[in-house]
mmCIF file with all atom_site columns, all heavy atoms in Angstrom:
data_model
loop_
_atom_site.group_PDB
_atom_site.id
_atom_site.type_symbol
_atom_site.label_atom_id
_atom_site.label_alt_id
_atom_site.label_comp_id
_atom_site.label_asym_id
_atom_site.label_entity_id
_atom_site.label_seq_id
_atom_site.pdbx_PDB_ins_code
_atom_site.Cartn_x
_atom_site.Cartn_y
_atom_site.Cartn_z
_atom_site.occupancy
_atom_site.B_iso_or_equiv
_atom_site.pdbx_formal_charge
_atom_site.auth_seq_id
_atom_site.auth_comp_id
_atom_site.auth_asym_id
_atom_site.auth_atom_id
_atom_site.pdbx_PDB_model_num
ATOM 1  N N   . LEU A 1 52 ? -11.999 -5.191  16.559 1.00 96.00 ? 68 LEU A N   1
ATOM 2  C CA  . LEU A 1 52 ? -12.525 -6.090  17.585 1.00 96.00 ? 68 LEU A CA  1
ATOM 3  C C   . LEU A 1 52 ? -12.562 -7.532  17.069 1.00 96.00 ? 68 LEU A C   1
ATOM 4  O O   . LEU A 1 52 ? -12.113 -8.462  17.737 1.00 96.00 ? 68 LEU A O   1
ATOM 5  C CB  . LEU A 1 52 ? -13.924 -5.655  18.030 1.00 96.00 ? 68 LEU A CB  1
ATOM 6  C CG  . LEU A 1 52 ? -14.630 -6.559  19.024 1.00 96.00 ? 68 LEU A CG  1
ATOM 7  C CD1 . LEU A 1 52 ? -13.995 -6.470  20.397 1.00 96.00 ? 68 LEU A CD1 1
ATOM 8  C CD2 . LEU A 1 52 ? -16.103 -6.219  19.085 1.00 96.00 ? 68 LEU A CD2 1
ATOM 9  N N   . GLU A 1 53 ? -13.070 -7.688  15.855 1.00 95.00 ? 69 GLU A N   1
ATOM 10 C CA  . GLU A 1 53 ? -13.175 -9.029  15.287 1.00 95.00 ? 69 GLU A CA  1
ATOM 11 C C   . GLU A 1 53 ? -11.813 -9.630  14.954 1.00 95.00 ? 69 GLU A C   1
ATOM 12 O O   . GLU A 1 53 ? -11.549 -10.789 15.241 1.00 95.00 ? 69 GLU A O   1
ATOM 13 C CB  . GLU A 1 53 ? -14.063 -9.005  14.022 1.00 95.00 ? 69 GLU A CB  1
ATOM 14 C CG  . GLU A 1 53 ? -15.517 -8.681  14.303 1.00 95.00 ? 69 GLU A CG  1
ATOM 15 C CD  . GLU A 1 53 ? -16.165 -9.674  15.242 1.00 95.00 ? 69 GLU A CD  1
ATOM 16 O OE1 . GLU A 1 53 ? -15.926 -10.904 15.101 1.00 95.00 ? 69 GLU A OE1 1
ATOM 17 O OE2 . GLU A 1 53 ? -16.901 -9.244  16.145 1.00 95.00 ? 69 GLU A OE2 1
ATOM 18 N N   . LEU A 1 54 ? -10.928 -8.822  14.346 1.00 94.00 ? 70 LEU A N   1
ATOM 19 C CA  . LEU A 1 54 ? -9.668  -9.367  13.874 1.00 94.00 ? 70 LEU A CA  1
ATOM 20 C C   . LEU A 1 54 ? -8.622  -9.524  14.984 1.00 94.00 ? 70 LEU A C   1
ATOM 21 O O   . LEU A 1 54 ? -7.890  -10.496 14.998 1.00 94.00 ? 70 LEU A O   1
ATOM 22 C CB  . LEU A 1 54 ? -9.092  -8.469  12.763 1.00 94.00 ? 70 LEU A CB  1
ATOM 23 C CG  . LEU A 1 54 ? -9.935  -8.376  11.497 1.00 94.00 ? 70 LEU A CG  1
ATOM 24 C CD1 . LEU A 1 54 ? -9.278  -7.439  10.490 1.00 94.00 ? 70 LEU A CD1 1
ATOM 25 C CD2 . LEU A 1 54 ? -10.189 -9.739  10.882 1.00 94.00 ? 70 LEU A CD2 1
ATOM 26 N N   . VAL A 1 55 ? -8.561  -8.542  15.887 1.00 95.00 ? 71 VAL A N   1
ATOM 27 C CA  . VAL A 1 55 ? -7.524  -8.565  16.911 1.00 95.00 ? 71 VAL A CA  1
ATOM 28 C C   . VAL A 1 55 ? -8.016  -9.226  18.195 1.00 95.00 ? 71 VAL A C   1
ATOM 29 O O   . VAL A 1 55 ? -7.424  -10.176 18.679 1.00 95.00 ? 71 VAL A O   1
ATOM 30 C CB  . VAL A 1 55 ? -6.990  -7.139  17.186 1.00 95.00 ? 71 VAL A CB  1
ATOM 31 C CG1 . VAL A 1 55 ? -5.970  -7.122  18.312 1.00 95.00 ? 71 VAL A CG1 1
ATOM 32 C CG2 . VAL A 1 55 ? -6.386  -6.543  15.906 1.00 95.00 ? 71 VAL A CG2 1
ATOM 33 N N   . TRP A 1 56 ? -9.104  -8.707  18.713 1.00 93.00 ? 72 TRP A N   1
ATOM 34 C CA  . TRP A 1 56 ? -9.603  -9.182  20.000 1.00 93.00 ? 72 TRP A CA  1
ATOM 35 C C   . TRP A 1 56 ? -10.145 -10.600 19.882 1.00 93.00 ? 72 TRP A C   1
ATOM 36 O O   . TRP A 1 56 ? -9.847  -11.466 20.701 1.00 93.00 ? 72 TRP A O   1
ATOM 37 C CB  . TRP A 1 56 ? -10.669 -8.225  20.514 1.00 93.00 ? 72 TRP A CB  1
ATOM 38 C CG  . TRP A 1 56 ? -11.027 -8.455  21.947 1.00 93.00 ? 72 TRP A CG  1
ATOM 39 C CD1 . TRP A 1 56 ? -12.029 -9.242  22.422 1.00 93.00 ? 72 TRP A CD1 1
ATOM 40 C CD2 . TRP A 1 56 ? -10.419 -7.862  23.072 1.00 93.00 ? 72 TRP A CD2 1
ATOM 41 N NE1 . TRP A 1 56 ? -12.047 -9.193  23.786 1.00 93.00 ? 72 TRP A NE1 1
ATOM 42 C CE2 . TRP A 1 56 ? -11.054 -8.357  24.227 1.00 93.00 ? 72 TRP A CE2 1
ATOM 43 C CE3 . TRP A 1 56 ? -9.345  -6.973  23.247 1.00 93.00 ? 72 TRP A CE3 1
ATOM 44 C CZ2 . TRP A 1 56 ? -10.696 -7.966  25.511 1.00 93.00 ? 72 TRP A CZ2 1
ATOM 45 C CZ3 . TRP A 1 56 ? -9.009  -6.609  24.533 1.00 93.00 ? 72 TRP A CZ3 1
ATOM 46 C CH2 . TRP A 1 56 ? -9.669  -7.116  25.644 1.00 93.00 ? 72 TRP A CH2 1
ATOM 47 N N   . ASN A 1 57 ? -10.974 -10.818 18.864 1.00 93.00 ? 73 ASN A N   1
ATOM 48 C CA  . ASN A 1 57 ? -11.594 -12.139 18.699 1.00 93.00 ? 73 ASN A CA  1
ATOM 49 C C   . ASN A 1 57 ? -10.764 -13.097 17.850 1.00 93.00 ? 73 ASN A C   1
ATOM 50 O O   . ASN A 1 57 ? -11.134 -14.254 17.689 1.00 93.00 ? 73 ASN A O   1
ATOM 51 C CB  . ASN A 1 57 ? -13.003 -11.996 18.115 1.00 93.00 ? 73 ASN A CB  1
ATOM 52 C CG  . ASN A 1 57 ? -13.933 -11.282 19.076 1.00 93.00 ? 73 ASN A CG  1
ATOM 53 O OD1 . ASN A 1 57 ? -13.753 -11.337 20.288 1.00 93.00 ? 73 ASN A OD1 1
ATOM 54 N ND2 . ASN A 1 57 ? -14.932 -10.592 18.540 1.00 93.00 ? 73 ASN A ND2 1
ATOM 55 N N   . GLY A 1 58 ? -9.685  -12.598 17.250 1.00 89.00 ? 74 GLY A N   1
ATOM 56 C CA  . GLY A 1 58 ? -8.744  -13.449 16.524 1.00 89.00 ? 74 GLY A CA  1
ATOM 57 C C   . GLY A 1 58 ? -9.260  -14.044 15.226 1.00 89.00 ? 74 GLY A C   1
ATOM 58 O O   . GLY A 1 58 ? -8.739  -15.062 14.759 1.00 89.00 ? 74 GLY A O   1
ATOM 59 N N   . LYS A 1 59 ? -10.243 -13.397 14.609 1.00 90.00 ? 75 LYS A N   1
ATOM 60 C CA  . LYS A 1 59 ? -10.755 -13.906 13.333 1.00 90.00 ? 75 LYS A CA  1
ATOM 61 C C   . LYS A 1 59 ? -9.769  -13.607 12.199 1.00 90.00 ? 75 LYS A C   1
ATOM 62 O O   . LYS A 1 59 ? -9.052  -12.613 12.242 1.00 90.00 ? 75 LYS A O   1
ATOM 63 C CB  . LYS A 1 59 ? -12.112 -13.301 13.009 1.00 90.00 ? 75 LYS A CB  1
ATOM 64 C CG  . LYS A 1 59 ? -13.221 -13.782 13.895 1.00 90.00 ? 75 LYS A CG  1
ATOM 65 C CD  . LYS A 1 59 ? -14.552 -13.230 13.414 1.00 90.00 ? 75 LYS A CD  1
ATOM 66 C CE  . LYS A 1 59 ? -15.677 -13.752 14.288 1.00 90.00 ? 75 LYS A CE  1
ATOM 67 N NZ  . LYS A 1 59 ? -16.969 -13.181 13.868 1.00 90.00 ? 75 LYS A NZ  1
ATOM 68 N N   . ALA A 1 60 ? -9.763  -14.478 11.221 1.00 88.00 ? 76 ALA A N   1
ATOM 69 C CA  . ALA A 1 60 ? -8.929  -14.239 10.038 1.00 88.00 ? 76 ALA A CA  1
ATOM 70 C C   . ALA A 1 60 ? -9.639  -13.258 9.101  1.00 88.00 ? 76 ALA A C   1
ATOM 71 O O   . ALA A 1 60 ? -10.839 -13.376 8.884  1.00 88.00 ? 76 ALA A O   1
ATOM 72 C CB  . ALA A 1 60 ? -8.670  -15.554 9.313  1.00 88.00 ? 76 ALA A CB  1
ATOM 73 N N   . ALA A 1 61 ? -8.888  -12.332 8.575  1.00 88.00 ? 77 ALA A N   1
ATOM 74 C CA  . ALA A 1 61 ? -9.462  -11.341 7.652  1.00 88.00 ? 77 ALA A CA  1
ATOM 75 C C   . ALA A 1 61 ? -9.840  -11.994 6.341  1.00 88.00 ? 77 ALA A C   1
ATOM 76 O O   . ALA A 1 61 ? -9.105  -12.807 5.801  1.00 88.00 ? 77 ALA A O   1
ATOM 77 C CB  . ALA A 1 61 ? -8.462  -10.212 7.407  1.00 88.00 ? 77 ALA A CB  1
ATOM 78 N N   . GLN A 1 62 ? -10.999 -11.650 5.819  1.00 89.00 ? 78 GLN A N   1
ATOM 79 C CA  . GLN A 1 62 ? -11.477 -12.135 4.543  1.00 89.00 ? 78 GLN A CA  1
ATOM 80 C C   . GLN A 1 62 ? -11.155 -11.150 3.416  1.00 89.00 ? 78 GLN A C   1
ATOM 81 O O   . GLN A 1 62 ? -11.122 -11.521 2.262  1.00 89.00 ? 78 GLN A O   1
ATOM 82 C CB  . GLN A 1 62 ? -12.977 -12.421 4.580  1.00 89.00 ? 78 GLN A CB  1
ATOM 83 C CG  . GLN A 1 62 ? -13.346 -13.540 5.552  1.00 89.00 ? 78 GLN A CG  1
ATOM 84 C CD  . GLN A 1 62 ? -12.777 -14.888 5.129  1.00 89.00 ? 78 GLN A CD  1
ATOM 85 O OE1 . GLN A 1 62 ? -13.025 -15.343 4.022  1.00 89.00 ? 78 GLN A OE1 1
ATOM 86 N NE2 . GLN A 1 62 ? -12.015 -15.509 5.997  1.00 89.00 ? 78 GLN A NE2 1
ATOM 87 N N   . VAL A 1 63 ? -11.001 -9.878  3.777  1.00 87.00 ? 79 VAL A N   1
ATOM 88 C CA  . VAL A 1 63 ? -10.640 -8.846  2.796  1.00 87.00 ? 79 VAL A CA  1
ATOM 89 C C   . VAL A 1 63 ? -9.111  -8.765  2.778  1.00 87.00 ? 79 VAL A C   1
ATOM 90 O O   . VAL A 1 63 ? -8.483  -8.192  3.670  1.00 87.00 ? 79 VAL A O   1
ATOM 91 C CB  . VAL A 1 63 ? -11.255 -7.478  3.159  1.00 87.00 ? 79 VAL A CB  1
ATOM 92 C CG1 . VAL A 1 63 ? -10.858 -6.414  2.155  1.00 87.00 ? 79 VAL A CG1 1
ATOM 93 C CG2 . VAL A 1 63 ? -12.768 -7.589  3.277  1.00 87.00 ? 79 VAL A CG2 1
ATOM 94 N N   . ALA A 1 64 ? -8.533  -9.354  1.759  1.00 80.00 ? 80 ALA A N   1
ATOM 95 C CA  . ALA A 1 64 ? -7.093  -9.520  1.708  1.00 80.00 ? 80 ALA A CA  1
ATOM 96 C C   . ALA A 1 64 ? -6.345  -8.200  1.516  1.00 80.00 ? 80 ALA A C   1
ATOM 97 O O   . ALA A 1 64 ? -5.204  -8.053  1.966  1.00 80.00 ? 80 ALA A O   1
ATOM 98 C CB  . ALA A 1 64 ? -6.715  -10.483 0.580  1.00 80.00 ? 80 ALA A CB  1
#
Side-chain angles (χ1 to χ4, degrees):
L68 175 72
E69 293 301 318
L70 297 179
V71 176
W72 193 268
N73 295 332
K75 290 186 178 177
Q78 296 295 304
V79 180

